[in-house]
Amino acid sequence: MSAPKKVVLAYSGGLDTSIILKWLQTEYGCEVITYTADLGQGEELEPARQKALLLGIKEENIHILDVREEFVKDFVFPMFRANALYEGLYLLGTSIARPLISKHLVEIAHKHGADAVAHGATGKGNDQVRFELSALALDPSIRVIAPWREWDLTSRTKLLEFAEQNQIPIAKNKRGEAPFSVDANLLHTSSEGTVLEDPGVEAPDYVAQRIVAVEDAPDTPEFIEVTFEKGDAVAINGEAMSPATILTALNEYGAKHGIGMLDFVENRFVGMKSRGVYETPGGTILLEAHRGIEQITLDSGSGHLKDSIMPRYAELIYNGFWFSPEREALQALIDKTQEHVTGTVKLKLYKGVARTVARWSDHSLYSEKHVTFEEDAGAYDQKDAAGFIRLNALRLKLIATRNARVAGKE
């Protein structure tokens, strides 16, 4: 395969992607365009621009985009309408960011007439799959370069030697092996590797990046109200906010109260198990609130159907199939169920737990006159239950009769 002429690199400005930038230039002799996404990771991104300039990238070839609102509105919120959890626990914070990054990689490649995109994911992880499936779904002709699968820089020592040989600045704290690897965005922070690789050893306290320890959380509970419209959060305590602003505020509440910490051993799509520590403070509150409002606005048929397809939907996102027709089909079903998921949930935040304590809605299906233990003024005739039970019991009675008959002949 001929060498690419222009490559758009997903660039963080850190040591690894700076090495990749230089490697692309030296290995292929190509022009490199950098793309850095502000996903709410909490870092100043201007240094990434300066680092790219230092490595010879033209100003017009440096792209730093604030995609926080797009991230929450078009990716996080649709996922939360499904109450998506991978393997019953993981809120998919890293997984859901990758299709958005790939979308802009491809768009920038088209803008510059680039013939390839590149990423810094390793050959052992899920992210390589997510980046590349997304890119190829959006542009089947695009070439994807994954240096970790190609180069011979197979150790930390070799990476540092390459950096020194090519005058790539190395921060002092990068000389030694990092205690763990961190990926962050507005939805979560994930920590993996090194001190976390043995699942039989408790994660050190210093791994926590954004959530206070439960022991240090306030001793007094805090109550908040989250308002939804058609399945999406639109206000906190009556104040209307944009999607990214809402998630930012929920993150602050959750972090303060020690909410959203998960120590998890998961099954990677590539086949191995990995252990990670995930901090998702705002997302944990949002999931509880969304389920709270669904309790009174969603009928049992729709709700149970949603719950039955949720594991498949979550697995599609985890495995990198956000842009697949099956994910889009499931999304259409999920979004249909959210037409009346409108109302307000009151939550109690205390010592690592977000708990729904009240919910109300003009779209509520809850009928107090039907469920009351007091006089219901004829709203419900209890005699109706007798026929209902007899019909549902008929199948069970026939099975029991058959089993007794067969047993008697044995």
Side-chain angles (χ1 to χ4, degrees):
M1 186 178 292
S2 60
K5 296 181 176 59
K6 285 186 182 181
V7 179
V8 181
L9 170 64
Y11 182 64
S12 70
L15 179 61
D16 288 0
T17 52
S18 294
I19 290 172
I20 288 172
L21 191 163
K22 195 64 173 180
W23 182 86
L24 290 169
Q25 293 171 326
T26 57
E27 179 73 12
Y28 293 114
C30 62
E31 182 179 3
V32 178
I33 298 134
T34 64
Y35 161 54
T36 306
D38 182 356
L39 289 156
Q41 54 266 50
E43 297 176 355
E44 174 58 51
L45 297 183
E46 188 57 32
R49 183 190 305 278
Q50 299 306 319
K51 193 84 164 285
L53 289 169
L54 181 66
L55 293 171
I57 306 301
K58 300 174 184 176
E59 179 71 44
E60 60 268 25
N61 284 349
I62 299 173
H63 298 267
I64 299 177
L65 303 182
D66 185 344
V67 295
R68 288 174 292 178
E69 290 292 350
E70 181 183 8
F71 176 49
V72 182
K73 177 178 179 291
D74 295 339
F75 293 82
V76 174
F77 274 7
M79 182 176 72
F80 271 79
R81 290 177 212 142
N83 301 320
L85 290 169
Y86 179 66
E87 297 186 337
L89 291 170
Y90 172 40
L91 281 162
L92 297 161
T94 296
S95 315
I96 194 60
R98 295 340 191 193
L100 173 58
I101 294 172
S102 296
K103 172 177 175 282
H104 286 287
L105 270 179
V106 171
E107 288 175 353
I108 292 169
H110 291 169
K111 176 180 177 181
H112 285 270
D115 48 352
V117 296
H119 62 77
T122 74
K124 288 187 176 182
N126 296 306
D127 279 343
Q128 58 179 336
V129 183
R130 296 166 183 154
F131 282 132
E132 296 178 39
L133 290 181
S134 295
L136 292 169
L138 296 170
D139 182 351
S141 66
I142 199 76
R143 179 177 174 183
V144 183
I145 299 172
W148 280 99
R149 301 201 302 257
E150 297 183 25
W151 64 21
D152 59 358
L153 304 177
T154 53
S155 69
R156 195 72 181 167
T157 300
K158 289 183 178 180
L159 287 171
L160 293 173
E161 287 176 352
F162 182 92
E164 289 173 340
Q165 291 166 3
N166 290 277
Q167 298 181 317
I168 299 171
I170 304 170
K172 289 182 179 179
N173 63 351
K174 293 295 184 181
R175 293 271 174 193
E177 187 175 20
F180 53 90
S181 175
V182 176
D183 178 77
N185 58 49
L186 197 54
L187 180 56
H188 90 160
T189 296
S190 70
S191 302
E192 293 181 321
T194 318
V195 300
L196 299 172
E197 288 182 354
D198 184 350
V201 177
E202 183 178 358
D205 291 341
Y206 61 76
V207 171
Q209 300 290 299
R210 62 167 74 175
I211 298 175
V212 303
V214 172
E215 297 84 353
D216 298 327
D219 294 325
T220 302
E222 185 170 6
F223 295 87
I224 64 170
E225 295 178 2
V226 180
T227 299
F228 290 85
E229 288 183 6
K230 296 185 176 181
D232 292 344
V234 295
I236 299 176
N237 296 331
E239 180 182 353
M241 300 179 183
S242 70
T245 307
I246 282 177
L247 187 53
T248 299
L250 291 178
N251 278 333
E252 292 171 358
Y253 284 115
K256 173 184 174 183
H257 290 279
I259 294 168
M261 181 73 75
L262 173 66
D263 189 319
F264 184 44
V265 176
E266 69 203 60
N267 290 293
R268 285 183 179 172
F269 190 25
V270 296
M272 67 189 77
K273 288 183 180 290
S274 67
R275 190 264 193 105
V277 172
Y278 298 121
E279 300 170 71
T280 319
T284 302
I285 298 172
L286 184 61
L287 177 65
E288 172 66 18
H290 184 254
R291 280 205 168 274
I293 195 60
E294 282 191 329
Q295 290 165 11
I296 60 170
T297 59
L298 198 59
D299 68 280
S300 62
S302 298
H304 294 172
L305 177 60
K306 263 191 70 196
D307 284 345
S308 72
I309 66 171
M310 182 277 284
R312 174 62 174 147
Y313 176 90
E315 186 178 75
L316 287 170
I317 295 174
Y318 184 86
N319 291 347
F321 289 96
W322 177 262
F323 293 112
S324 68
E326 61 268 37
R327 198 283 307 175
E328 293 172 351
L330 290 178
Q331 191 72 59
L333 186 156
I334 290 160
D335 292 349
K336 176 65 177 177
T337 70
Q338 301 296 289
E339 289 180 348
H340 294 283
V341 181
T342 295
T344 299
V345 177
K346 183 177 181 180
L347 303 114
K348 179 180 179 179
L349 312 179
Y350 183 64
K351 294 291 185 182
V353 176
R355 181 167 62 86
T356 298
V357 295
R359 70 293 272 163
W360 56 92
S361 171
D362 290 339
H363 297 250
S364 178
L365 292 169
Y366 184 86
S367 173
E368 187 174 350
K369 67 180 181 179
H370 280 81
V371 78
T372 182
F373 282 94
E374 304 301 326
E375 175 59 46
D376 63 16
Y380 178 80
D381 187 348
Q382 296 192 35
K383 295 184 179 66
D384 290 345
F388 173 80
I389 294 169
R390 282 196 297 272
L391 287 174
N392 278 281
L394 178 58
R395 174 176 61 93
L396 304 178
K397 290 167 65 178
L398 291 171
I399 292 169
T401 301
R402 185 273 314 273
N403 291 349
R405 184 178 70 249
V406 172
K409 293 180 179 180
E410 291 178 349

